Amino acid sequence: QVQLVESGGGLVQAGGSLRLSCAASGRTSRNYAMGWFRHAPGKEREFVAAIDWSGGYTDYPDSVKGRFTISRDNAKNTVYLQMNSLKPEDTAVYYCAASRSMSSQTMDERYDYWGQGTQVTVSS
């Protein structure tokens, strides 16, 4: 089992930045691919970013490419999501997820463990 706890969400003005963190505990000796998803009211859950086990490969949808950066520190069992140039449409609950696959995954059904989420609100 892997437990994931997100932090770093909050309220920010459009154009601002936030950095989300996801701390993993439990069976962290195994190398998991990690991802971030978001869920806004009235919308389906959306893929935001993914990173492979080594941190050498990342993937983003066009909606956040160039603004968001995913990274990981395996020594600290932590994954980060740096979000810059935030827009009101980025407002959502952001979830961290871990996949037993070592390669980067963009589909939510490929993830095995999920955090509780952290709210990000971007005001216009």
Side-chain angles (χ1 to χ4, degrees):
Q1 287 288 332
V2 175
Q3 292 77 45
L4 303 173
V5 178
E6 303 96 334
S7 62
L11 173 65
V12 64
Q13 288 188 333
S17 298
L18 281 175
R19 188 175 83 153
L20 305 183
S21 298
C22 173
S25 61
R27 291 191 63 181
T28 55
S29 60
R30 182 168 178 176
N31 294 318
Y32 293 89
M34 301 294 293
W36 288 94
F37 291 77
R38 65 188 181 188
H39 194 187
K43 297 183 179 180
E44 294 187 355
R45 185 163 57 189
E46 178 186 15
F47 164 67
V48 174
I51 190 167
D52 73 344
W53 73 276
S54 71
Y57 183 83
T58 58
D59 204 354
Y60 307 91
D62 289 343
S63 58
V64 308
K65 194 173 293 183
R67 300 188 299 123
F68 290 12
T69 302
I70 188 172
S71 62
R72 67 190 298 161
D73 185 339
N74 286 342
K76 296 182 178 180
N77 294 321
T78 301
V79 177
Y80 305 97
L81 183 68
Q82 178 67 43
M83 305 186 294
N84 298 329
S85 302
L86 282 162
K87 305 174 182 179
E89 51 263 44
D90 294 319
T91 295
V93 177
Y94 282 70
Y95 296 90
C96 173
S99 171
R100 293 191 189 98
S101 168
M102 295 173 72
S103 60
S104 173
Q105 303 293 332
T106 63
M107 305 296 288
D108 57 2
E109 57 262 32
R110 299 303 303 272
Y111 286 86
D112 304 288
Y113 305 100
W114 293 82
Q116 294 299 307
T118 185
Q119 176 71 47
V120 171
T121 303
V122 184
S123 63
S124 57

